[in-house]
Amino acid sequence: MLDHRGKLARGEKVEERVITPHHDDNVRRVDKPITIVKNDIQKRVFGAGYPSLPTLTIEEFYQELVDEGKMPGPGSSKKAESLNYQGPTEEQLLGDILKKEREIETDDPEALENARAYDDWKDEHRRGWGNRIGKG
């Protein structure tokens, strides 16, 4: 290495060797995951050693999302529904407000019980008294 660098520094001509990786065209591609275990009995008893093996390829998973309409198809200008979500509409908000007013006006026993239980819970659990682990 030092000889090579010395020749380069003096401006001498240096033979360049290019090392190319050897590719074998006969190498087969393995489609299923490889599980390494000591023996077949261990494989049958303990399984793969991790909770689950992949059941779908990335292409199959993407195609399922496209079929469900959660992702746009390849080359599609249509955006996915989940990407366009803008929050609840005015009608939904108005409907929720009307539903709460109706419960208050009719003295719905279930709504009153929930409100009282929440009020009792707030009395017992002051604000900021949550998980204090690691806060000094």
Side-chain angles (χ1 to χ4, degrees):
M1 179 81 176
L2 292 174
D3 294 334
H4 180 74
R5 300 274 301 186
K7 287 179 183 179
L8 284 175
R10 286 179 287 209
E12 295 179 21
K13 195 169 190 178
V14 180
E15 179 184 328
E16 295 285 333
R17 287 187 294 165
V18 178
I19 300 172
T20 57
H22 176 69
H23 293 290
D24 189 7
D25 293 334
N26 296 330
V27 175
R28 291 187 323 136
R29 184 175 157 231
V30 179
D31 289 334
K32 60 182 181 178
I34 298 171
T35 306
I36 300 173
V37 291
K38 290 182 181 176
N39 55 36
D40 194 45
I41 296 172
Q42 180 185 8
K43 180 179 169 184
R44 279 187 267 133
V45 172
F46 296 109
Y50 38 89
S52 63
L53 296 173
T55 56
L56 298 174
T57 63
I58 295 173
E59 291 81 17
E60 291 171 337
F61 178 70
Y62 177 71
Q63 189 58 43
E64 280 187 11
L65 292 178
V66 170
D67 294 343
E68 293 171 2
K70 295 180 180 176
M71 291 289 289
S76 172
S77 63
K78 178 188 163 205
K79 292 192 175 184
E81 294 171 11
S82 61
L83 299 177
N84 291 332
Y85 182 69
Q86 299 292 325
T89 61
E90 289 184 31
E91 294 85 23
Q92 291 171 334
L93 293 173
L94 184 61
D96 290 344
I97 291 170
L98 292 174
K99 180 181 175 187
K100 287 180 183 178
E101 286 180 2
R102 254 187 262 117
E103 288 176 352
I104 292 170
E105 290 174 359
T106 59
D107 293 330
D108 183 27
E110 187 176 328
L112 284 172
E113 184 180 333
N114 287 340
R116 287 183 180 136
Y118 180 65
D119 187 47
D120 291 341
W121 184 88
K122 282 181 64 174
D123 289 342
E124 295 169 5
H125 300 85
R126 293 190 49 179
R127 186 168 182 216
W129 281 28
N131 185 358
R132 303 293 293 177
I133 294 176
K135 303 224 174 165

